[in-house]
Every structure is written in C-alpha cells, then in structure tokens.
Amino acid sequence: MSQNIYQRLGLKRVINACGKMTILGVSAVSPEVMQATAEAAGSFVEIDKLVDRTGQLVSTHTGAEDSYITSCASAGIAIAVAAVITRGEPDRVALMPDSSGMANEVLMLRGHNIDYGAPITSAIRLGGGRVVEVGQSNLAARWQLEKAISERTAALLFVKSHHSVQKGMLTLADFVEVAKAHQLPLIVDAAAEEDLRLYVSQGADLVIYSGAKAFNAPTSGFITGKREWIECCKAQHHGIARAMKIGKENMVGLVKALELYAEGADSMTPDALATTVDAISALHGFSAEIEQDEAGRAIWRVQVRVHPDVLGIDARQVEALLRTGDVAIYTRRYFLHQGVFSIDPRTLDQSELAMIVERLAQISAEQENCHAKH
C-alpha cells in the first residue's frame, strides 16, 4: 500500500473514525476543492473585493443577507462578539479585546459553556466579551435569561453542539423571542451543523459555521446573517481579525466546497452500516449497534460495546490499543466510562471500515488466546 504524504514525513497513518475532529485535521478535502484552492493560490486578487464576493456566494447557500469568511469557527465567535460590542466603530475596533466601558456582556446558558478543544469563553474574551451564564448546568428558565439582561448586555449567544447539555435548556426560539423583545443581536454558534439555512431562517442575526467540518472545505469558517452585523464583522479586519485572517485560496476553496455540498453527497445510512455491526457483534468480547448523533443530527454511527468479563480488558484499554497501533485508529471516545466507543463512518471508506473490524478481530483473538494459555 502506497504511503500518504504524512507517512513520507515520518508520521503514522491515521484512520479517522471519530468524525470531523480538529485534532486529526478535520476533513479530507476533495480533488475538486483542492484544484480550486491551488488555482486561487497561484493568482493575485483584490482581497477586499474577494471578501465581499465570496460573502455573497456563501449567502446563496444560507439564505442570509450577507456572509463573511473567517479562518475557522473559533475566529468567527471572536469576530462576531467584537462586532456586536464595537458595532463597527473604528475607535472601538482598534481597542479590542479591551472593551472597558462598553456594553460587553454576552449572555449564554451555563449548559452551553462548552470546551470544544478550547473553552468557548476564550473565543468570547478574544472578541472583548464578558460571559454571563444563565441557569444551571442541567436546567434553565426563560425568566432567568430575561433577568440577566441589562444596559451592559451586548448580545445573546446560543450554542448548537453535541458538546452542549441537550436536556433542560431553553430553545433557540426562546432566544430569538427574547433577543427581539430587547432589541439585542443573537449569535448562534453552529460550528459543526449541516443545515445552512435553519438558524438564519429562525431569526438569528449572526450564525457561525466551520467550513472544514460538515462541508469538507479547507481550513475555514464563516459568519452568515444580517448585513448590518456582517459589515461590523468585516470592520474587525482593522483590529483583532487581522491576526485571524484567511488566505485567498481557502476562501475560494470554501466556496467550491459549498457548491459540492449543495449538489448532495452520499451519506452512510443505518442499512449501510448493518454489515459492520454484524461483523463486530460476531467477535468474542464485543457487541455493536447503530446509534444516532446525540444532538439529533442525521448522522448514524456504530456504537461498539466492550464486555470486559468476556474479553478480559475494558473499553479504555481497547481504545488505547486501536489508537497506539502501527496504524492509529481514532474512534469517538466520549463514553468510554460506560464501556462503549463509537465509529463515525463519515470520514471512512469501506476499506478503512474493514480495517477497523480486522483490528478489533485481532484484539479479540489475542485476548482469547491469552485466556486459553492461562
């Protein structure tokens, strides 16, 4: 088997079965997107005009008034927060992230105060925001959100993520109604979401996406929403966004990736995963079933349960064996403490799925032989 470029650099081959994760390079970009990226990298362009034009093109997919491409979703959060605090005023833009004396409070649910590899609060503070948590970790009421609003409030932030607490939280509709009633902008962090139109259509003012996650673009993100607020985002180019700028090639790559996404891509259905489930369940010490994404997205995965009383080792040990082998196999490991890990097929081809089953079979056989010797 030929080596990929990272193996030629002396690094392990990686099989990514944990999804669109930053720690593994997020996505594998298609040849069509890479061609557009390479072509853009080889020419000069008026960057301000490119920023405006690519924003228009992104908006054809989101249904928003305008959009602004960023270096990533985290940058999008920081820039959106700076936009609502500075409102695009040049003197304020130049001061960020020092927002002393300005209305700088960003209201969010405590159950939405997540870490996606870095605390979301870090991105908010980079934009000059001061986080005000609403409710408790497992329960929030609308009156708590309304009571938290004051003259210091700059915006409301709603986080749509599988990392967020899913029960007991206020809905997006609650946030939209409260924001409108108090004439405050509403920012939605939808970094890994796949529905490009939902949050704009439901009334959010600024919606942040990752380009590299659901849409298989080069490293990028974008903010889409109301034109007045997108203009305030663009103004941050003369402030904090300068340190977060994205190259011309990745702007063009994102636009091409969104074009391909709009054409539709084959998704792995539960039926298509049945063979993998059966193969794993037939192994000594393992069982498997199909699970849907915890945030309700139309994403299906294979959940693998380890039976330590049969296998002789637990889920944590199996996951470590997968990850530290000659080929590093990364699975979703959020629930190892419950004895399970999951295989996300979106980043896999059939040969890689087969390799994962083969490696699990090898682990199973090794443990069974070990027990037989004892």
Side-chain angles (χ1 to χ4, degrees):
M1 184 180 294
S2 62
Q3 293 186 329
N4 66 31
I5 190 166
Y6 299 113
Q7 290 173 286
R8 296 197 297 274
L9 289 173
L11 301 171
K12 278 186 182 182
R13 178 184 175 185
V14 170
I15 293 179
N16 176 11
C18 63
K20 310 296 184 69
M21 305 295 286
T22 300
I23 61 167
L24 298 179
V26 192
S27 297
V29 178
S30 72
E32 298 96 324
V33 171
M34 284 309 301
Q35 182 179 350
T37 301
E39 188 176 345
S43 301
F44 294 103
V45 68
E46 295 174 312
I47 291 294
D48 287 347
K49 300 284 180 59
L50 180 64
V51 167
D52 290 341
R53 182 56 181 152
T54 54
Q56 293 168 0
L57 293 170
V58 169
S59 299
T60 64
H61 298 286
T62 67
E65 294 175 2
D66 201 1
S67 302
Y68 171 69
I69 298 179
T70 64
S71 58
C72 61
S74 288
I77 295 169
I79 292 167
V81 168
V84 298
I85 293 173
T86 66
R87 300 187 174 236
E89 296 293 334
D91 56 333
R92 292 186 167 203
V93 169
L95 291 172
M96 290 298 104
D98 183 358
S99 59
S100 303
M102 306 177 202
N104 62 2
E105 292 184 353
V106 177
L107 275 52
M108 64 185 297
L109 297 175
R110 179 170 292 181
H112 285 188
N113 192 347
I114 61 172
D115 188 307
Y116 47 75
I120 192 171
T121 50
S122 292
I124 295 168
R125 287 197 301 271
L126 281 171
R130 178 177 173 271
V131 175
V132 175
E133 291 184 339
V134 173
Q136 306 306 315
S137 300
N138 64 335
L139 188 66
R142 183 159 162 168
W143 67 262
Q144 291 174 308
L145 178 60
E146 292 177 324
K147 283 286 188 180
I149 294 172
S150 72
E151 70 279 358
R152 298 181 300 278
T153 305
L156 276 57
L157 172 64
F158 187 90
V159 181
K160 178 61 179 175
S161 170
H162 66 279
H163 293 297
S164 298
V165 175
Q166 302 299 323
K167 64 177 183 178
M169 298 294 101
L170 297 178
T171 65
L172 177 62
D174 290 317
F175 269 70
V176 170
E177 290 171 10
V178 171
K180 289 186 183 303
H182 293 269
Q183 296 183 316
L184 289 167
L186 170 60
I187 302 168
V188 175
D189 172 16
E193 294 300 297
E194 300 181 334
D195 193 323
L196 281 164
R197 294 180 175 268
L198 178 64
Y199 306 104
V200 168
S201 68
Q202 290 189 347
D205 297 289
L206 292 169
V207 186
I208 299 151
Y209 290 91
S210 167
K213 288 187 177 173
F215 312 116
N216 294 334
T219 302
S220 58
F222 57 96
I223 310 169
T224 188
K226 300 286 176 58
R227 183 169 289 108
E228 62 176 304
W229 291 117
I230 294 296
E231 286 301 317
C232 294
C233 290
K234 292 178 182 179
Q236 307 311 311
H237 250 311
H238 301 289
I240 63 164
R242 181 71 178 186
M244 307 172 188
K245 63 184 178 183
I246 181 172
K248 59 187 185 292
E249 62 280 354
N250 282 19
M251 285 191 242
V252 172
L254 171 64
V255 169
K256 183 61 179 180
L258 290 177
E259 288 177 11
L260 296 176
Y261 183 78
E263 293 171 6
D266 294 332
S267 58
M268 195 72 78
T269 64
D271 287 346
L273 294 172
T275 301
T276 301
V277 168
D278 291 343
I280 294 173
S281 295
L283 299 176
H284 178 80
F286 293 101
S287 60
E289 62 182 4
I290 293 169
E291 64 175 1
Q292 187 176 359
D293 175 69
E294 53 268 62
R297 294 175 293 175
I299 298 169
W300 284 268
R301 305 184 180 99
V302 176
Q303 184 190 84
V304 180
R305 180 168 295 279
V306 178
H307 302 277
D309 54 329
V310 177
L311 188 62
I313 56 175
D314 62 20
R316 286 188 174 89
Q317 292 168 296
V318 171
E319 188 274 336
L321 288 171
L322 290 171
R323 186 166 34 85
T324 58
D326 292 337
V327 175
I329 300 173
Y330 278 77
T331 61
R332 291 177 70 85
R333 47 184 176 172
Y334 298 117
F335 297 101
L336 286 175
H337 62 288
Q338 296 179 8
V340 299
F341 57 86
S342 298
I343 297 168
D344 191 323
R346 292 177 298 161
T347 48
L348 302 170
D349 59 31
Q350 288 296 335
S351 67
E352 290 174 323
L353 265 176
M355 285 183 68
I356 294 170
V357 174
E358 182 180 341
R359 178 64 179 127
L360 290 173
Q362 184 182 35
I363 292 170
S364 176
E366 288 171 353
Q367 291 304 308
E368 197 168 11
N369 290 338
C370 182
H371 288 165
K373 290 178 181 178
H374 289 85

